Amino acid sequence: MPVTVGVFGAAGRMGSTVCRAVADDPQLELVAAVDPGAAGEPIGTVAGVDAGFEVAGKAEHLDVVPQVMVEFTHLGAARENLAWCAAHGVHAVVGTTGFSDEDVERFRATFTSSNCLIAPNFAIGAILMMRFAELAAPWFETAEVLEFHHDAKVDSPSGTAMRTVERMAAASDDWAPDPTTTEVVDGARGGDGPGHIRIHAIRMRGMVAHQEVVLGTTGQTLSIRHDSYDRSSFMPGVVLAAKRIADHPGVVVGLDAYLDQ
Ligand code: NAP
């Protein structure tokens, strides 16, 4: 039997892509969609999928309650949507970014009869890049991270770059000191991240989301690079999570744990 799935934010950039990915997977069945801006419209028109239901304006109006809801909206909306999932025993696969530690603690208290995955990055390649960088860290004395994003990204460095460097710093505390004594242009050496690993944030028209971790030791360097070219890069991770969430109790942050199953 396919896992029944609904999508919060079904008319959005990510949500509509998720609707198509779910509809295309034979182990999943798209049965519900919520988006206030598209309430009452056929899902076929909103997301370009071949399914015969209308988008609901809010979860309370759904005719069918799915086993799993995928959430890609905005922070305020997501908090309410997750409260509904927890109260109705629906598993939540969450891509919306920006939750605080207090949010996560509250979710841990409320998700008692269903599970919740909060994954700030659903690109499986990006998850593996972080894991490989953590694995490599103890074998090198110098490392820097370059992250590249589209020119509409307003925050820097990216959450993925920060998480990568946190994991590398936790895996090794044996990093060579920065030799720079003179910085002619302020910030030329990038940001001083955890473990004093430098992070360089590049904003470039034409790019989507890219990262390169460069590690160096005597006579050799290792570069670990990941590129997301469009939103489809996140879909294998979302689909995997929808299939596996029933086996991961409670609230899990990050897709990493799901790759080991
Ligand atoms: P978007 O295009 O603005 O889509 C969000 C959609 O949610 C909009 O259609 C919005 O409607 C709708 N919405 C608002 N309130 C809602 C509610 N209460 N219930 C259901 N739907 C509601 O944004 P996006 O680019 O898809 O990004 C969505 C989120 O995903 C962001 O937080 C982004 O950072 C995150 N993201 C995560 C990943 C990852 O790998 N985890 C990847 C990419 C993006 P209105 O426009 O009418 O408000």
Side-chain angles (χ1 to χ4, degrees), residues 8-9 11-15 34-37 72-74 77 81 95-97 119-122 234:
F8 285 116
R13 285 175 292 244
M14 287 297 290
V34 180
D35 199 309
F72 279 95
T73 63
H74 311 302
N81 291 335
T96 300
T97 51
N121 196 330
F122 272 103
F234 303 113

Side-chain angles (χ1 to χ4, degrees), residues 52-109:
F53 61 87
E54 291 177 355
V55 177
K58 49 198 334 197
E60 286 78 3
H61 299 163
L62 285 176
D63 294 329
V64 177
V65 174
Q67 292 165 283
V68 177
M69 284 298 290
V70 179
E71 221 286 347
F72 279 95
T73 63
H74 311 302
L75 200 49
R79 288 185 179 119
E80 288 182 19
N81 291 335
L82 293 194
W84 181 87
C85 287
H88 290 80
V90 174
H91 301 308
V93 170
V94 187
T96 300
T97 51
F99 294 110
S100 64
D101 291 345
E102 291 74 35
D103 285 321
V104 175
E105 283 316 306
R106 196 174 59 256
F107 301 148
R108 287 193 202 287

Side-chain angles (χ1 to χ4, degrees), residues 141-144 173-180 189 195-198:
E141 301 85 42
T142 52
E144 308 215 358
D173 58 5
D174 192 17
W175 300 105
D178 187 341
T180 311
R189 290 287 296 120
H196 300 298
I197 298 170
R198 297 275 162 179

Side-chain angles (χ1 to χ4, degrees), residues 127-194:
I127 306 304
L128 291 173
M129 170 187 61
M130 286 188 259
R131 195 182 281 192
F132 297 157
E134 182 179 39
L135 193 66
W139 301 96
F140 295 83
E141 301 85 42
T142 52
E144 308 215 358
V145 172
L146 296 85
E147 58 98 329
F148 310 76
H149 281 83
H150 54 84
D151 63 336
K153 184 169 176 60
V154 294
D155 57 315
S156 71
S158 70
T160 299
M162 276 304 287
R163 186 71 195 121
T164 306
V165 171
E166 281 166 7
R167 287 176 63 166
M168 292 169 71
S172 173
D173 58 5
D174 192 17
W175 300 105
D178 187 341
T180 311
T181 53
T182 310
E183 202 172 43
V184 177
V185 176
D186 209 19
R189 290 287 296 120
D192 190 7

Side-chain angles (χ1 to χ4, degrees), residues 104 106-109 111 114-118 248-253:
V104 175
R106 196 174 59 256
F107 301 148
R108 287 193 202 287
F111 274 88
S114 59
N115 307 335
C116 176
L117 167 69
I118 299 169
H248 289 269
V251 175
V252 174
V253 178

